[in-house]
């Protein structure tokens, strides 16, 4: 895979493009909008298919931090590769599953 095709490298290029269009006094962009969040982070969650799923991307000129559910933190970390770029909200336990595990 070409390095620009890597989702995180592509997101870095996209974020740079966005901030190049914005005035210098804008230091951050916050979005919970699915296409914008994915554009800025490079992370696509299966949970995003649910309208009730809440998550956000907080982008600065230097980085994008994802705010996701605790259940989504692991997969997001696997893609983004840096724990500082993933902020988990909530607590994920087996009680959150639709049916109990054996």
């Amino acid at each position: 895979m070409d390095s620009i095709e890597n989702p995180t490298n592509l997101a870095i290029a996209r974020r740079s493009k966005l901030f190049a269009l914005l005035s210098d006094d804008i230091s951050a962009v916050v979005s919970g909008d699915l296409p914008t969040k994915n554009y800025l982070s490079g992370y696509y969650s299966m949970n995003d298919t649910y309208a009730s799923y809440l998550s956000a991307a907080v982008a600065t000129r230097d980085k994008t931090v994802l705010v996701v559910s605790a259940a989504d933190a692991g997969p997001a970390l696997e893609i983004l590769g840096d724990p500082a770029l993933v902020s988990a909200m909530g607590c994920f336990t087996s009680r959150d599953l639709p049916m109990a595990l054996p």
Side-chain angles (χ1 to χ4, degrees):
M1 177 186 298
D2 189 324
S3 64
I4 193 67
E5 293 175 4
N6 176 303
T8 52
N9 290 342
L10 186 55
I12 290 168
R14 290 171 172 169
R15 186 181 67 241
S16 294
K17 257 187 184 179
L18 172 66
F19 278 98
L21 296 172
L22 300 175
S23 67
D24 290 340
D25 61 335
I26 296 175
S27 59
V29 173
V30 179
S31 181
D33 173 64
L34 175 61
T36 306
K37 184 180 56 179
N38 295 342
Y39 181 90
L40 292 172
S41 70
Y43 177 66
Y44 295 83
S45 171
M46 291 190 326
N47 290 319
D48 285 328
T49 60
Y50 301 104
S52 62
Y53 181 66
L54 301 176
S55 63
V58 180
T60 65
R61 294 178 188 276
D62 299 324
K63 65 182 175 180
T64 300
V65 175
L66 276 176
V67 181
V68 296
S69 71
D72 216 14
L77 177 59
E78 188 174 321
I79 296 298
L80 300 179
D82 181 353
L85 301 179
V86 179
S87 179
M89 60 180 177
C91 178
F92 180 74
T93 67
S94 61
R95 292 186 310 247
D96 298 325
L97 297 174
M99 56 190 217
L101 296 174

